[in-house]
Amino acid sequence: MTDLDAVRQDRGTAEDTVRRFFSTLTAPGEPPPLNDLLDEDAHSHDPMNPQDTIGLDNVRAEHRMWHAAFDAAFAVEDLLARGDRACARWTWRATHTGEFLGIAPTGRRVAMTGTTFFRLGADGKITELWWQHDQLGLMEQLGALDELEQ
């Protein structure tokens, strides 16, 4: 195997894992355990959270909160991978069906764009995530800023 073949194989593996991650997050029904995608010590950096989310159980709980509040789907617009790193630019479209950060369900259709950077471990599982997304735009679509604008 040449070095180029190894890079292609790594890229394919990282790309597959990231695509499975996004489709799993918004799969209908009960949220899956994510054990086959995330490392036990997964570390998620999200500017929405006052502190990082550390550990598979905590990452799971965070995703359960989103899953309970929105009927959603991700569309991966761009995905770049190299070695143990990958970066995805995505669009998330959803219907607000459950409570989210104290906001009662509105039934509104919402959309948000973002980018997530991933680091994968030697076993191919995601060990670290860095999220960047339009949280302010989402809150505006949910009507959460209406009171502030008056």
Side-chain angles (χ1 to χ4, degrees), residues 7-42:
V7 167
R8 284 185 183 135
Q9 184 177 6
D10 286 347
R11 184 176 55 221
T13 302
E15 286 178 8
D16 293 345
T17 300
V18 168
R19 286 189 190 282
R20 280 190 318 116
F21 174 75
F22 282 115
S23 66
T24 300
L25 286 184
T26 55
E30 274 300 305
L34 302 172
N35 296 34
D36 61 330
L37 292 168
L38 295 172
D39 186 76
E40 187 65 37
D41 296 321

Side-chain angles (χ1 to χ4, degrees), residues 48 65-66 69-70 92 96 98-105 135 138-139 142:
M48 183 182 110
M65 174 197 66
W66 284 88
F70 297 97
W92 176 84
H96 182 211
E99 184 177 320
F100 178 70
L101 301 178
I103 303 167
Q135 183 72 25
L138 174 62
M139 299 307 276
L142 294 174

Side-chain angles (χ1 to χ4, degrees), residues 14 29 36 40 64 68 77 79 89 92 100 102 107 121 133 136 139:
D36 61 330
E40 187 65 37
R64 272 195 299 273
E77 310 291 349
L79 178 55
R89 183 178 65 86
W92 176 84
F100 178 70
H133 48 86
L136 183 60
M139 299 307 276

